PDB file of all heavy atoms in Angstrom:
ATOM      1  N   ALA H 648       4.108  -1.353-154.770  1.00 98.00           N
ATOM      2  CA  ALA H 648       2.843  -2.029-154.932  1.00 98.00           C
ATOM      3  C   ALA H 648       3.001  -2.953-156.198  1.00 98.00           C
ATOM      4  O   ALA H 648       3.627  -2.614-157.174  1.00 98.00           O
ATOM      5  CB  ALA H 648       1.723  -1.080-155.190  1.00 98.00           C
ATOM      6  N   GLY H 649       2.297  -4.156-156.110  1.00 98.00           N
ATOM      7  CA  GLY H 649       2.473  -5.080-157.173  1.00 98.00           C
ATOM      8  C   GLY H 649       3.644  -6.040-157.006  1.00 98.00           C
ATOM      9  O   GLY H 649       3.686  -7.043-157.695  1.00 98.00           O
ATOM     10  N   LYS H 650       4.554  -5.670-156.191  1.00 98.00           N
ATOM     11  CA  LYS H 650       5.689  -6.595-155.997  1.00 98.00           C
ATOM     12  C   LYS H 650       5.319  -7.665-154.972  1.00 98.00           C
ATOM     13  O   LYS H 650       4.513  -7.343-154.017  1.00 98.00           O
ATOM     14  CB  LYS H 650       6.959  -5.831-155.487  1.00 98.00           C
ATOM     15  CG  LYS H 650       7.594  -4.986-156.506  1.00 98.00           C
ATOM     16  CD  LYS H 650       8.989  -4.550-155.983  1.00 98.00           C
ATOM     17  CE  LYS H 650       9.539  -3.423-156.827  1.00 98.00           C
ATOM     18  NZ  LYS H 650       9.792  -3.704-158.211  1.00 98.00           N
ATOM     19  N   ARG H 651       5.998  -8.870-155.066  1.00 98.00           N
ATOM     20  CA  ARG H 651       5.800  -9.839-154.031  1.00 98.00           C
ATOM     21  C   ARG H 651       6.616  -9.468-152.781  1.00 98.00           C
ATOM     22  O   ARG H 651       7.615  -8.823-152.836  1.00 98.00           O
ATOM     23  CB  ARG H 651       6.144 -11.173-154.538  1.00 98.00           C
ATOM     24  CG  ARG H 651       5.180 -11.722-155.526  1.00 98.00           C
ATOM     25  CD  ARG H 651       5.433 -13.104-155.952  1.00 98.00           C
ATOM     26  NE  ARG H 651       5.870 -13.970-154.814  1.00 98.00           N
ATOM     27  CZ  ARG H 651       6.422 -15.065-154.920  1.00 98.00           C
ATOM     28  NH1 ARG H 651       6.813 -15.539-156.230  1.00 98.00           N
ATOM     29  NH2 ARG H 651       6.803 -15.845-153.968  1.00 98.00           N
ATOM     30  N   ILE H 652       6.098  -9.920-151.607  1.00 98.00           N
ATOM     31  CA  ILE H 652       6.863  -9.630-150.353  1.00 98.00           C
ATOM     32  C   ILE H 652       8.189 -10.182-150.483  1.00 98.00           C
ATOM     33  O   ILE H 652       9.211  -9.530-150.035  1.00 98.00           O
ATOM     34  CB  ILE H 652       6.097 -10.283-149.137  1.00 98.00           C
ATOM     35  CG1 ILE H 652       4.670  -9.862-149.065  1.00 98.00           C
ATOM     36  CG2 ILE H 652       6.904 -10.092-147.893  1.00 98.00           C
ATOM     37  CD1 ILE H 652       4.317  -8.556-148.404  1.00 98.00           C
ATOM     38  N   ASP H 653       8.306 -11.327-151.088  1.00 98.00           N
ATOM     39  CA  ASP H 653       9.654 -11.978-151.153  1.00 98.00           C
ATOM     40  C   ASP H 653      10.634 -11.167-152.061  1.00 98.00           C
ATOM     41  O   ASP H 653      11.836 -11.210-151.824  1.00 98.00           O
ATOM     42  CB  ASP H 653       9.493 -13.446-151.703  1.00 98.00           C
ATOM     43  CG  ASP H 653      10.790 -14.244-151.433  1.00 98.00           C
ATOM     44  OD1 ASP H 653      11.220 -14.151-150.271  1.00 98.00           O
ATOM     45  OD2 ASP H 653      11.359 -14.843-152.360  1.00 98.00           O
ATOM     46  N   GLN H 654      10.146 -10.425-153.066  1.00 98.00           N
ATOM     47  CA  GLN H 654      11.017  -9.530-153.846  1.00 98.00           C
ATOM     48  C   GLN H 654      11.688  -8.462-152.892  1.00 98.00           C
ATOM     49  O   GLN H 654      12.791  -8.205-153.033  1.00 98.00           O
ATOM     50  CB  GLN H 654      10.291  -8.862-154.952  1.00 98.00           C
ATOM     51  CG  GLN H 654       9.882  -9.785-156.117  1.00 98.00           C
ATOM     52  CD  GLN H 654       9.059  -9.106-157.180  1.00 98.00           C
ATOM     53  OE1 GLN H 654       7.880  -9.004-156.977  1.00 98.00           O
ATOM     54  NE2 GLN H 654       9.687  -8.504-158.157  1.00 98.00           N
ATOM     55  N   VAL H 655      10.823  -7.937-152.035  1.00 98.00           N
ATOM     56  CA  VAL H 655      11.283  -6.964-151.148  1.00 98.00           C
ATOM     57  C   VAL H 655      12.358  -7.585-150.153  1.00 98.00           C
ATOM     58  O   VAL H 655      13.433  -7.015-149.922  1.00 98.00           O
ATOM     59  CB  VAL H 655      10.135  -6.281-150.266  1.00 98.00           C
ATOM     60  CG1 VAL H 655      10.646  -5.293-149.349  1.00 98.00           C
ATOM     61  CG2 VAL H 655       9.103  -5.725-151.249  1.00 98.00           C
ATOM     62  N   ASN H 656      12.063  -8.785-149.639  1.00 98.00           N
ATOM     63  CA  ASN H 656      12.887  -9.555-148.786  1.00 98.00           C
ATOM     64  C   ASN H 656      14.260  -9.721-149.468  1.00 98.00           C
ATOM     65  O   ASN H 656      15.377  -9.565-148.885  1.00 98.00           O
ATOM     66  CB  ASN H 656      12.286 -10.835-148.358  1.00 98.00           C
ATOM     67  CG  ASN H 656      12.817 -11.437-147.040  1.00 98.00           C
ATOM     68  OD1 ASN H 656      13.432 -10.644-146.235  1.00 98.00           O
ATOM     69  ND2 ASN H 656      12.695 -12.656-146.851  1.00 98.00           N
ATOM     70  N   LYS H 657      14.132 -10.153-150.778  1.00 98.00           N
ATOM     71  CA  LYS H 657      15.450 -10.404-151.440  1.00 98.00           C
ATOM     72  C   LYS H 657      16.298  -9.142-151.672  1.00 98.00           C
ATOM     73  O   LYS H 657      17.486  -9.194-151.669  1.00 98.00           O
ATOM     74  CB  LYS H 657      15.078 -11.084-152.845  1.00 98.00           C
ATOM     75  CG  LYS H 657      14.519 -12.502-152.748  1.00 98.00           C
ATOM     76  CD  LYS H 657      15.518 -13.593-152.387  1.00 98.00           C
ATOM     77  CE  LYS H 657      15.055 -14.961-152.571  1.00 98.00           C
ATOM     78  NZ  LYS H 657      13.924 -15.375-151.672  1.00 98.00           N
ATOM     79  N   MET H 658      15.564  -7.997-151.871  1.00 98.00           N
ATOM     80  CA  MET H 658      16.337  -6.749-151.942  1.00 98.00           C
ATOM     81  C   MET H 658      16.941  -6.349-150.657  1.00 98.00           C
ATOM     82  O   MET H 658      17.989  -5.757-150.557  1.00 98.00           O
ATOM     83  CB  MET H 658      15.402  -5.684-152.539  1.00 98.00           C
ATOM     84  CG  MET H 658      15.016  -5.827-153.972  1.00 98.00           C
ATOM     85  SD  MET H 658      16.490  -6.131-155.049  1.00 98.00           S
ATOM     86  CE  MET H 658      16.376  -7.854-155.379  1.00 98.00           C
ATOM     87  N   ALA H 659      16.172  -6.695-149.531  1.00 98.00           N
ATOM     88  CA  ALA H 659      16.756  -6.405-148.209  1.00 98.00           C
ATOM     89  C   ALA H 659      18.031  -7.189-148.060  1.00 98.00           C
ATOM     90  O   ALA H 659      19.101  -6.766-147.606  1.00 98.00           O
ATOM     91  CB  ALA H 659      15.725  -6.757-147.084  1.00 98.00           C
ATOM     92  N   GLU H 660      17.975  -8.520-148.524  1.00 98.00           N
ATOM     93  CA  GLU H 660      19.108  -9.415-148.473  1.00 98.00           C
ATOM     94  C   GLU H 660      20.325  -8.826-149.212  1.00 98.00           C
ATOM     95  O   GLU H 660      21.505  -8.721-148.717  1.00 98.00           O
ATOM     96  CB  GLU H 660      18.756 -10.799-148.913  1.00 98.00           C
ATOM     97  CG  GLU H 660      19.904 -11.710-148.832  1.00 98.00           C
ATOM     98  CD  GLU H 660      19.707 -13.088-149.467  1.00 98.00           C
ATOM     99  OE1 GLU H 660      18.586 -13.572-149.534  1.00 98.00           O
ATOM    100  OE2 GLU H 660      20.717 -13.597-150.130  1.00 98.00           O
ATOM    101  N   LEU H 661      20.005  -8.473-150.470  1.00 98.00           N
ATOM    102  CA  LEU H 661      21.099  -7.991-151.389  1.00 98.00           C
ATOM    103  C   LEU H 661      21.687  -6.722-150.861  1.00 98.00           C
ATOM    104  O   LEU H 661      22.944  -6.573-150.822  1.00 98.00           O
ATOM    105  CB  LEU H 661      20.574  -7.912-152.838  1.00 98.00           C
ATOM    106  CG  LEU H 661      21.555  -7.392-153.890  1.00 98.00           C
ATOM    107  CD1 LEU H 661      22.751  -8.401-153.951  1.00 98.00           C
ATOM    108  CD2 LEU H 661      20.883  -7.400-155.227  1.00 98.00           C
ATOM    109  N   GLY H 662      20.826  -5.818-150.492  1.00 98.00           N
ATOM    110  CA  GLY H 662      21.261  -4.499-149.970  1.00 98.00           C
ATOM    111  C   GLY H 662      22.132  -4.654-148.754  1.00 98.00           C
ATOM    112  O   GLY H 662      23.162  -4.074-148.596  1.00 98.00           O
ATOM    113  N   THR H 663      21.724  -5.540-147.810  1.00 98.00           N
ATOM    114  CA  THR H 663      22.470  -5.801-146.582  1.00 98.00           C
ATOM    115  C   THR H 663      23.802  -6.453-146.892  1.00 98.00           C
ATOM    116  O   THR H 663      24.872  -6.050-146.299  1.00 98.00           O
ATOM    117  CB  THR H 663      21.609  -6.689-145.640  1.00 98.00           C
ATOM    118  OG1 THR H 663      20.326  -6.165-145.465  1.00 98.00           O
ATOM    119  CG2 THR H 663      22.306  -6.969-144.356  1.00 98.00           C
ATOM    120  N   ARG H 664      23.754  -7.434-147.837  1.00 97.00           N
ATOM    121  CA  ARG H 664      25.013  -8.098-148.186  1.00 97.00           C
ATOM    122  C   ARG H 664      26.081  -7.090-148.656  1.00 97.00           C
ATOM    123  O   ARG H 664      27.174  -7.073-148.224  1.00 97.00           O
ATOM    124  CB  ARG H 664      24.725  -9.114-149.292  1.00 97.00           C
ATOM    125  CG  ARG H 664      25.943  -9.943-149.708  1.00 97.00           C
ATOM    126  CD  ARG H 664      25.477 -11.059-150.648  1.00 97.00           C
ATOM    127  NE  ARG H 664      26.512 -12.009-150.713  1.00 97.00           N
ATOM    128  CZ  ARG H 664      27.210 -12.290-151.807  1.00 97.00           C
ATOM    129  NH1 ARG H 664      26.952 -11.600-152.935  1.00 97.00           N
ATOM    130  NH2 ARG H 664      28.190 -13.183-151.822  1.00 97.00           N
ATOM    131  N   LEU H 665      25.627  -6.250-149.618  1.00 97.00           N
ATOM    132  CA  LEU H 665      26.507  -5.259-150.148  1.00 97.00           C
ATOM    133  C   LEU H 665      26.980  -4.279-149.086  1.00 97.00           C
ATOM    134  O   LEU H 665      28.205  -3.867-149.025  1.00 97.00           O
ATOM    135  CB  LEU H 665      25.847  -4.442-151.330  1.00 97.00           C
ATOM    136  CG  LEU H 665      25.532  -5.348-152.574  1.00 97.00           C
ATOM    137  CD1 LEU H 665      24.717  -4.603-153.551  1.00 97.00           C
ATOM    138  CD2 LEU H 665      26.812  -5.954-153.141  1.00 97.00           C
ATOM    139  N   ALA H 666      26.102  -3.837-148.247  1.00 97.00           N
ATOM    140  CA  ALA H 666      26.456  -2.853-147.178  1.00 97.00           C
ATOM    141  C   ALA H 666      27.401  -3.510-146.211  1.00 97.00           C
ATOM    142  O   ALA H 666      28.439  -2.880-145.795  1.00 97.00           O
ATOM    143  CB  ALA H 666      25.193  -2.412-146.394  1.00 97.00           C
ATOM    144  N   HIS H 667      27.199  -4.746-145.866  1.00 97.00           N
ATOM    145  CA  HIS H 667      28.147  -5.429-144.903  1.00 97.00           C
ATOM    146  C   HIS H 667      29.484  -5.628-145.528  1.00 97.00           C
ATOM    147  O   HIS H 667      30.486  -5.511-144.878  1.00 97.00           O
ATOM    148  CB  HIS H 667      27.508  -6.729-144.363  1.00 97.00           C
ATOM    149  CG  HIS H 667      26.318  -6.409-143.419  1.00 97.00           C
ATOM    150  ND1 HIS H 667      25.596  -7.466-142.815  1.00 97.00           N
ATOM    151  CD2 HIS H 667      25.820  -5.244-142.966  1.00 97.00           C
ATOM    152  CE1 HIS H 667      24.713  -6.881-141.998  1.00 97.00           C
ATOM    153  NE2 HIS H 667      24.766  -5.597-142.120  1.00 97.00           N
ATOM    154  N   ILE H 668      29.468  -6.029-146.793  1.00 97.00           N
ATOM    155  CA  ILE H 668      30.732  -6.249-147.491  1.00 97.00           C
ATOM    156  C   ILE H 668      31.493  -4.873-147.554  1.00 97.00           C
ATOM    157  O   ILE H 668      32.734  -4.831-147.210  1.00 97.00           O
ATOM    158  CB  ILE H 668      30.560  -6.750-148.900  1.00 97.00           C
ATOM    159  CG1 ILE H 668      30.120  -8.212-148.913  1.00 97.00           C
ATOM    160  CG2 ILE H 668      31.832  -6.589-149.788  1.00 97.00           C
ATOM    161  CD1 ILE H 668      29.645  -8.797-150.202  1.00 97.00           C
ATOM    162  N   ASP H 669      30.815  -3.823-147.824  1.00 97.00           N
ATOM    163  CA  ASP H 669      31.411  -2.432-147.788  1.00 97.00           C
ATOM    164  C   ASP H 669      31.940  -2.180-146.375  1.00 97.00           C
ATOM    165  O   ASP H 669      32.928  -1.426-146.160  1.00 97.00           O
ATOM    166  CB  ASP H 669      30.425  -1.363-148.164  1.00 97.00           C
ATOM    167  CG  ASP H 669      30.086  -1.437-149.653  1.00 97.00           C
ATOM    168  OD1 ASP H 669      30.835  -2.135-150.437  1.00 97.00           O
ATOM    169  OD2 ASP H 669      29.071  -0.765-150.024  1.00 97.00           O
ATOM    170  N   GLY H 670      31.277  -2.666-145.339  1.00 97.00           N
ATOM    171  CA  GLY H 670      31.661  -2.443-144.001  1.00 97.00           C
ATOM    172  C   GLY H 670      32.771  -3.348-143.481  1.00 97.00           C
ATOM    173  O   GLY H 670      33.105  -3.334-142.327  1.00 97.00           O
ATOM    174  N   GLY H 671      33.242  -4.179-144.369  1.00 97.00           N
ATOM    175  CA  GLY H 671      34.374  -5.066-143.995  1.00 97.00           C
ATOM    176  C   GLY H 671      33.918  -6.360-143.364  1.00 97.00           C
ATOM    177  O   GLY H 671      34.677  -7.007-142.651  1.00 97.00           O
TER     178      GLY H 671
END
Side-chain angles (χ1 to χ4, degrees):
K650 288 193 193 300
R651 287 184 45 197
I652 305 277
D653 196 51
Q654 286 176 276
V655 180
N656 201 24
K657 292 286 191 297
M658 290 308 105
E660 179 192 327
L661 182 57
T663 305
R664 181 171 198 251
L665 295 173
H667 287 180
I668 289 171
D669 289 346

